[in-house]
Amino acid sequence: MKRVKRALLHTAVVLVMALGLLAVPFGPGAPQEAQAATSAGTIYGEDDELLGFASFNPGLHYYHEHEDSDPDEHNFFRVTDRCNDGVELHLSWSSAGDGEWRHGDCTGWLPYRTYTVHTQHQSKPDMAAIAWAMSAWDAEGDRQGGTGVQSDWQGSFSDDGDDLYTHSSVYEDAFTDTRDTVVLTVIPTDKATGVYLPDTIDAYTDQIWDRATEKTPLPASVSADERESMYKQLWCHVKFNLEGIKGGHTWDLEAAHPNVSWERVNNGVKDHGCNWGNQGDGGWFDVPPTDGGGDGGDGPADAAPSVDAGPDVSVDEGSQVTLEGTAADDGGTPATTWTYTAGDDVDEGATCTFADASAPRTTVTCTDDGTYTVTLTADDGVNAPVSDTATVTVRNVAPTLQVAKPADWDVHRVETDVPVKASFTDPDSNDTHTCKVTWDDGSTSTFPAKDGACDTTHVYDHAGMNTLTVEVADDDGGKDSAERMVVVYDPRAGLASGAGTLPDGLAFTALAKYPSADSTVPAGAVSLSVPTASGRQTIVSTELEWLVITPDAKAAVKGRSATHGFLGYLQSGRFRGVTWPLSQGNIPPAAPSYDSTPGASWDLDEAQPKQLATGLTVIDTGWLPGLPSLPAPLGTTAGELLDTLPALRLDLHGDTEA
């Protein structure tokens, strides 16, 4: 019973469409014939009523079926919606471009309304697979049914304004109940349909075939025998007027029609109308196929193939680029082969690889930069092979460096190895690479890369904060680099001390030294009274992490309080203080909460400490633990040294932390 009801519903829909209801916004042309579609789906509701129907129209299929429609309307869906049922239709598809269409329930006196929905595959030179589905949803957002996923192919399309045809399209069409066939449709101009001289048939056919298959190539699935049959169909259409037959508004060349002999093509136009079918089909199109579908009879002489390597292209080395070659022949698809020649600017050992060297449209990937000539050769097995060339320019791509060691702010003792471990990638497998490390102590290491790595070590012979640079360069001048700062301390150095104020209001006291030659952390204390918008915040060290004293009397000390990290830079009569919450990490962030020299480098050599407003800094680079006393007049102990500093009245009102 449901089948009968559904059949009646389909009949009702067709009748509504056939009546040509003017209020219905139909697609290109009135639907005077059966829907031209290669895939379709229907949604029924619980009451077995039709909720929606969708069909897909590839390429110029619809235009061929409906002579009064617009040829610019191609690759579109026809969606029929039952009105006043409270159901919204959703149509979605995935192909050369994904898309979605939604429409609320149609209302009014019409029982059904039909819509046209275009895909994004407009004016594309190649066919593209498409998957689509339609679903129905009620006002509460509950799904009421769907078509399931439908698979199809969008047709290619070209509007190139040729003087013999205006549009061309290749699409897949249902030829029988059991198979699909590829169709090349061209829309001829008056010039093409006005042929009255036999000598022009071959020339017009060759021109239309070459240009149409270049603009809208046939897919690789079409065999050489099928191509020859399609070429013969085109030749037959051009000949129509010589036989006194009026041609249609389009010329459809179907791969599924058998490849009959030239004799049958030439002498049977009035019988087969250029649309010959298989033996036994009956009717006007019934012409028996010939054995082998050869080139017998009085057909035109075999012409040499035409070939075009496509436009010149550019690409980054190691990446693939598309070669848009084309080849055609009056005897079917010629055999094609891609080859390449490296230019004088290409390094020895470079190679190129074609994804498919036998396909006119393919990709090529080259292993080194430079200029390459690619050649596409076509051979029809009868005439001499013909070739065409294009230039592929491959741009150099610099290597990409990743430094694993050292990390920023790594701490090392003098006279121990500081390792550098760095790797790199380069899309150019034919390049050679050189590593360079600038150590920031006046020395540089340059060496060949090994197995994609730049690994080495270095020993610093004096303390400092060193910003080293790791660089890798290829043999074509491309390079990449990275910086890391390492802290190098010497526990045998002296001490750093001071107390004073800066013009911005910072007050500080500092005393730090390594207790012995074997120490790894310094002893001492640092106090910073930092001016803030709400008053002063006093930070008192609970731990010193490291102390650097350079031979040229510069010092830096890093440590932490209970809640803050801090840095102190000391030079003669100068100081820089930096603080930040430990919640921001153990090293200073780019914008710390306080910095007396904001924006300056963390590197001690470029730290730019400020001139003291009051106070004194003392940096001893020569005191070694175990010596009997400090040089006069500094006294004999660190305590005595601090006693020599001027008494400073530091305003410590405000928050204080221990």
Side-chain angles (χ1 to χ4, degrees), residues 56-77:
F56 179 67
N57 300 272
L60 286 172
H61 187 166
Y62 194 93
Y63 176 76
H64 175 66
E65 294 290 331
H66 303 271
E67 296 190 10
D68 58 349
S69 60
D70 185 350
D72 286 329
E73 298 286 356
H74 52 275
N75 290 320
F76 67 93
F77 294 93

Side-chain angles (χ1 to χ4, degrees), residues 587-602:
I587 62 175
S593 56
Y594 172 78
D595 188 351
S596 58
T597 311
S601 172
W602 303 127

